[in-house]
Amino acid sequence: MRLLGVELTRLRWRRTVLALLAAAILIPLVIGAAVVWDTRPVSTADLVAAQEMADQQADDPFVLDEIEQCVADPEMYGAPVGTDVQQACEEMMLPQAEWFISRTPLDLSSMINDLGPAIPILLVVLMLLLGATFVGADWASGSMSNQLLFEPRRTRVWAAKAAAVALVAAVTAFVVQLGFWAALALVARSRDVSVNPEVWDSLVGIIGRGTLLVAGAAIVGFSLTMAFRSTVATLGLLFAVTVGSTIVIATLPLQGNNERWMVPTNLSAFVLNGTDYYNTQEETTCSQEDGEEMVCTGMSRLGVGGASAYLGFILVGTGALGWQSFRRRDVP
């Protein structure tokens, strides 16, 4: 525990680490503020402005011409037959104030599938950088050899550093996610927007799995830097893998399951407790209005178990690589 406390203190004094922690708070804050602003209730001034725009476009010659053509041939425009054709065409063609107000009300249920994995994935990137830069500074400054003079048992040193970055990443992920969704819930309550109780059950799992994911990402960044002894090398490898692996996997003959083996798909499946992905070989029967059947390209389901095995392999593999490298190689 003493060694862990020392590593946490060293983390706290790293300026780059503090900058990354600040970004982990500020970026979700900006995202949340944008969501609150974009879903704000429509004010009287907004309605007046929208009505003015509708009135201006109602006098447009193109609109008036479309109404005349609709009256002349209502069936082509889908106007109901047997009613006041002029009125029906005007209702269809004349601009309405609602057309100029694209704002949608705040709905936490519809945001879970998008922002649920988006916030943890953002934190994954930042905590990967945190884990890499933390130990990378030790190698760059040559202080690693000094640290081993006070504690020569390398496994203990490696474990203490890994635990420190994982703990900081986990606490950050938990606090940021909890604060993000709690803030949106308070906004929804202030606007008298009802929230389905199932949303809270989903968020508990999303926050928990997101916290584990971010902690694991910090260990991956730390482990790779322990192996390469360079923050730049780690970041270069991560960039190459992130971009290159997607391109390579997309071209492999995987029987339509290419997307299943991509990192973003597995990250989303882990956080959301399963996700659907595009599968070119998955065929379903679709029914058209005329009763004829057609073959559709369908979706497949990736569960949290498959995603956990995929991400766990990355975590264990990089962890073993970093530990073995630190334990066996000479330290300058």
Side-chain angles (χ1 to χ4, degrees):
M1 292 298 294
R2 183 184 63 84
L3 197 55
L4 175 60
V6 170
E7 296 299 336
L8 289 173
T9 301
R10 295 180 63 254
L11 257 174
R12 182 167 58 90
W13 286 103
R14 296 285 187 196
R15 293 182 180 179
T16 305
V17 168
L18 295 179
L20 290 171
L21 292 176
I25 297 173
L26 292 177
I27 297 177
L29 182 63
V30 172
I31 294 174
V35 170
V36 172
W37 176 256
D38 291 340
T39 59
R40 67 192 185 280
V42 178
S43 65
T44 303
D46 295 329
L47 289 174
V48 171
Q51 187 61 55
E52 290 178 352
M53 295 181 65
D55 293 340
Q56 291 176 0
Q57 292 200 12
D59 296 330
D60 190 300
F62 175 78
V63 175
L64 298 177
D65 183 60
E66 284 293 310
I67 293 176
E68 292 180 1
Q69 293 185 34
C70 176
V71 173
D73 191 358
E75 292 185 359
M76 185 181 72
Y77 285 83
V81 181
T83 60
D84 187 340
V85 177
Q86 179 72 31
Q87 181 180 355
C89 289
E90 288 180 354
E91 290 178 353
M92 293 173 58
M93 301 298 179
L94 286 177
Q96 306 295 321
E98 292 79 8
W99 297 5
F100 302 94
I101 302 177
S102 59
R103 203 174 304 154
T104 56
L106 181 63
D107 183 6
L108 296 186
S109 301
S110 63
M111 293 181 179
I112 287 181
N113 288 335
D114 294 326
L115 293 179
I119 299 301
I121 291 175
L122 167 67
L123 296 176
V124 160
V125 175
L126 295 174
M127 294 303 108
L128 268 171
L129 295 175
L130 182 145
T133 190
F134 169 58
V135 71
D138 291 339
W139 290 113
S141 64
S143 66
M144 188 68 73
S145 58
N146 294 332
Q147 296 175 39
L148 293 176
L149 291 177
F150 293 94
E151 178 52 76
R153 290 170 291 186
R154 296 192 182 188
T155 298
R156 290 193 63 187
V157 173
W158 189 94
K161 291 180 180 295
V165 296
L167 180 60
V168 170
V171 171
T172 302
F174 179 78
V175 172
V176 169
Q177 290 181 96
L178 183 62
F180 180 86
W181 291 108
L184 290 183
L186 289 175
V187 172
R189 182 177 180 181
S190 68
R191 297 176 180 176
D192 294 328
V193 176
S194 60
V195 180
N196 191 324
E198 295 182 358
V199 171
W200 308 122
D201 296 335
S202 299
L203 283 177
V204 170
I206 288 174
I207 293 174
R209 290 186 296 272
T211 299
L212 291 176
L213 181 67
V214 174
I219 295 177
V220 169
F222 159 79
S223 299
L224 288 176
T225 308
M226 289 294 277
F228 297 117
R229 302 187 176 186
S230 170
T231 304
V232 176
T234 298
L235 298 183
L237 176 65
L238 290 173
F239 177 79
V241 169
T242 302
V243 177
S245 65
T246 301
I247 298 175
V248 172
I249 292 174
T251 60
L252 292 177
L254 298 176
Q255 299 181 348
N257 274 297
N258 301 64
E259 193 171 339
R260 183 259 180 269
W261 300 105
M262 295 181 182
V263 175
T265 304
N266 285 270
L267 292 177
S268 296
F270 182 80
V271 175
L272 294 175
N273 195 27
T275 189
D276 295 323
Y277 65 91
Y278 183 71
N279 187 340
T280 60
Q281 298 299 315
E282 186 71 20
E283 296 182 349
T284 58
T285 301
C286 304
S287 177
Q288 295 178 328
E289 292 183 0
D290 56 5
E292 296 181 0
E293 293 186 350
M294 61 180 179
V295 177
C296 304
T297 301
M299 307 290 288
S300 293
R301 183 76 176 173
L302 174 61
V304 67
S308 299
Y310 181 96
L311 298 173
F313 176 79
I314 296 175
L315 175 61
V316 173
T318 55
L321 176 65
W323 173 62
Q324 285 294 335
S325 175
F326 182 62
R327 191 170 69 92
R328 294 180 179 276
R329 291 172 62 186
D330 291 336
V331 175

